[in-house]
């Protein structure tokens, strides 16, 4: 794709900002999540620790459930799920908190990776349009010729944007995906007109609406929203790991799943305000009420038991096959992309 100098400047600025944010988040996460320093050490890379869709990762640490299982978990962060995936495949970490759809994509590339606990049955993603472009983009049918923000190329926001386009008669070559990350870089790109719209999650969505910088076009934060946009439940945020590591460390994996299932159950019985109070104070970015609202808006996406939703893998495969030539030409074995062994045995 050809990029103008303007986009190059934006990308450079975005990368710099994201690098700074990631470094700060890594430092904070590494300090906060090592717990007592005792127990089995596990490194988990998260595709954005401060994103509400991945909230169970930090919340489990804050609730003390890792420590209770005898685990010394170090949480690290990358600005996009595809970068977290790369860290896992490279062997830098033992697990990734990211979108389940990466397990299918990786299988076509000869990598055996599986979800061991499923946090969600909806994407938690929102397609927003800038206030300026809202009159021109009233549905994904209007994506042609537009610049649409995603976290990064190859990310789940990239996948879902392409699906919404193709489903609505727009070829993936008819619009321009622009990697703008999330948070401040996404909002800045929207306000400056560098993108006409884009896909992001809370708390970025809540901030966009609060600033009146954009409007919601497609809301996939609920199972109903997922059904309407994607035709079924869409398992997204999960803990996925390399299958070989899972099979050779079953006791450790069970403890991790135990901890996450306890967190999901805790989330299902507590309010958004109670959940927000448990999270690091800086996640609210000075506006606790807005942060609480972002959690409330996203809570419906989460499961309460960590179990893969029925027909969820099939929905994901259908979505990816709509535009992903690797999956179109492959015979994906969905049974190898997730396991329910550990959630069924969870305490």
């Amino acid at each position: 794709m050809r990029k103008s100098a303007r986009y190059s400047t934006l990308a450079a600025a975005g990368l710099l900002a994201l690098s700074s944010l990631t470094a700060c988040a890594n430092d904070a996460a590494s300090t906060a999540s090592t717990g007592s320093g005792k127990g089995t050490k596990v490194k988990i890379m998260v595709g954005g620790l401060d994103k509400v869709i991945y909230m169970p990762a930090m919340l489990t640490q804050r609730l003390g459930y890792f420590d209770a299982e005898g685990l010394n978990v170090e949480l690290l962060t990358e600005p996009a799920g595809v970068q977290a995936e790369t860290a896992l495949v490279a062997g830098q970490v033992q697990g990734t908190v990211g979108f389940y759809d990466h397990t299918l994509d990786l299988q076509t590339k000869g990598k055996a990776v599986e979800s061991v606990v499923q946090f969600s049955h909806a994407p938690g993603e929102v397609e927003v349009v800038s206030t300026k472009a809202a009159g021109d983009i009233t549905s994904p049918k209007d994506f042609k010729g537009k610049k649409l923000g995603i976290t990064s190329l190859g990310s789940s926001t990239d996948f879902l944007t392409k699906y919404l386009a193709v489903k609505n008669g727009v070829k993936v070559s008819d619009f321009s995906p622009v990697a703008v990350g999330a948070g401040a870089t996404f909002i800045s790109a929207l306000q400056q007109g560098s993108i006409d719209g884009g896909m992001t999650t809370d708390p970025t969505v809540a901030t966009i609406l609060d600033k009146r910088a954009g409007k919601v076009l497609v809301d996939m934060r609920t199972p109903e929203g997922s059904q309407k946009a994607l035709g079924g439940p869409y398992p997204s945020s999960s803990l996925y790991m390399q299958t070989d590591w899972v099979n050779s460390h079953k006791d450790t994996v069970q403890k991790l799943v135990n901890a996450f299932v306890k967190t999901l159950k805790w989330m299902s019985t507590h309010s958004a305000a109670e959940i927000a109070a448990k999270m690091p104070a800086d996640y609210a970015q000075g506006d606790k009420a807005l942060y609480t609202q972002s959690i409330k808006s996203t809570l419906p996406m989460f499961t309460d038991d960590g179990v893969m939703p029925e027909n969820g893998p099939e929905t994901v495969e259908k979505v990816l096959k709509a535009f992903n030539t690797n999956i179109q030409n492959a015979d994906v074995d969905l049974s190898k992309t997730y396991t329910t062994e550990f959630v069924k045995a969870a305490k």
Side-chain angles (χ1 to χ4, degrees):
M1 185 188 308
R2 296 178 63 187
K3 294 182 174 68
S4 66
R6 181 181 181 188
Y7 296 145
S8 298
T9 301
L10 171 65
L15 285 171
L16 180 60
L18 284 170
S19 297
S20 300
L21 287 170
T22 302
C24 292
N26 275 343
D27 290 343
S30 297
T31 302
S33 63
T34 51
S36 62
K38 300 177 182 179
T40 304
K41 182 69 179 287
V42 181
K43 288 185 178 182
I44 297 176
M45 185 67 79
V46 184
L49 261 175
D50 59 350
K51 294 178 183 176
V52 177
I53 57 171
Y54 298 141
M55 183 171 59
M58 180 56 77
L59 184 57
T60 301
Q61 187 275 324
R62 302 284 286 189
L63 290 171
Y65 291 160
F66 289 137
D67 284 345
E69 291 290 332
L71 298 171
N72 177 16
V73 174
E74 181 178 6
L75 297 175
L76 303 170
T77 189
E78 285 284 3
V82 66
Q83 292 158 326
E85 166 203 297
T86 300
L88 176 70
V89 174
Q92 298 169 356
V93 296
Q94 287 74 54
T96 291
V97 169
F99 267 41
Y100 161 73
D101 54 20
H102 290 292
T103 67
L104 280 72
D105 189 52
L106 285 169
Q107 188 181 116
T108 68
K109 299 170 182 174
K111 305 295 183 181
V113 175
E114 61 187 20
S115 165
V116 297
V117 55
Q118 196 61 48
F119 299 161
S120 57
H121 44 193
E125 301 281 355
V126 178
E127 182 72 24
V128 298
V129 293
S130 70
T131 303
K132 182 179 179 181
D136 296 325
I137 306 175
T138 59
S139 84
K141 293 179 181 179
D142 302 319
F143 281 176
K144 187 173 182 178
K146 300 300 188 292
K147 302 183 295 292
L148 302 176
I150 55 174
T151 52
S152 65
L153 296 176
S155 66
S156 295
T157 54
D158 188 16
F159 292 164
L160 289 171
T161 301
K162 287 176 177 174
Y163 176 74
L164 290 179
V166 170
K167 180 188 176 185
N168 287 276
V170 179
K171 297 178 182 178
V172 295
S173 58
D174 286 341
F175 68 93
S176 301
V178 184
V180 292
T185 53
F186 186 102
I187 296 169
S188 177
L190 197 69
Q191 291 175 319
Q192 293 174 10
S194 302
I195 56 175
D196 301 299
M199 191 168 293
T200 190
T201 60
D202 277 311
T204 306
V205 176
T207 303
I208 289 169
L209 298 179
D210 184 62
K211 291 178 177 291
R212 298 184 180 180
K215 298 180 179 180
V216 172
L217 184 70
V218 180
D219 193 337
M220 296 178 285
R221 291 176 290 188
T222 66
E224 295 77 17
S226 177
Q227 179 71 42
K228 182 178 179 181
L230 307 173
Y234 196 92
S236 55
S237 55
S238 64
L239 172 66
Y240 62 82
M241 315 178 88
Q242 296 205 55
T243 301
D244 285 347
W245 199 91
V246 171
N247 292 336
S248 59
H249 296 80
K250 288 197 172 187
D251 182 59
T252 299
V253 175
Q254 186 64 64
K255 290 176 179 179
L256 284 167
V257 173
N258 289 345
F260 280 124
V261 170
K262 282 191 284 187
T263 296
L264 292 169
K265 289 186 182 299
W266 187 92
M267 287 168 58
S268 71
T269 58
H270 288 76
S271 69
E274 290 171 320
I275 295 171
K278 288 291 185 180
M279 299 300 285
D282 61 336
Y283 281 20
Q285 297 182 358
D287 194 332
K288 194 166 185 178
L290 190 63
Y291 181 60
T292 299
Q293 179 57 48
S294 73
I295 292 176
K296 184 177 180 179
S297 298
T298 305
L299 272 179
M301 73 173 280
F302 294 106
T303 68
D304 61 4
D305 55 11
V307 176
M308 175 65 74
E310 187 176 357
N311 299 321
E314 289 79 8
T315 303
V316 172
E317 183 180 33
K318 178 198 71 174
V319 167
L320 296 182
K321 274 191 173 182
F323 63 86
N324 188 316
T325 54
N326 287 338
I327 292 184
Q328 288 170 355
N329 300 323
D331 184 15
V332 177
D333 187 344
L334 293 177
S335 69
K336 293 182 179 179
T337 61
Y338 71 97
T339 177
T340 59
E341 172 186 350
F342 301 99
V343 289
K344 287 181 178 179
K347 299 175 185 177

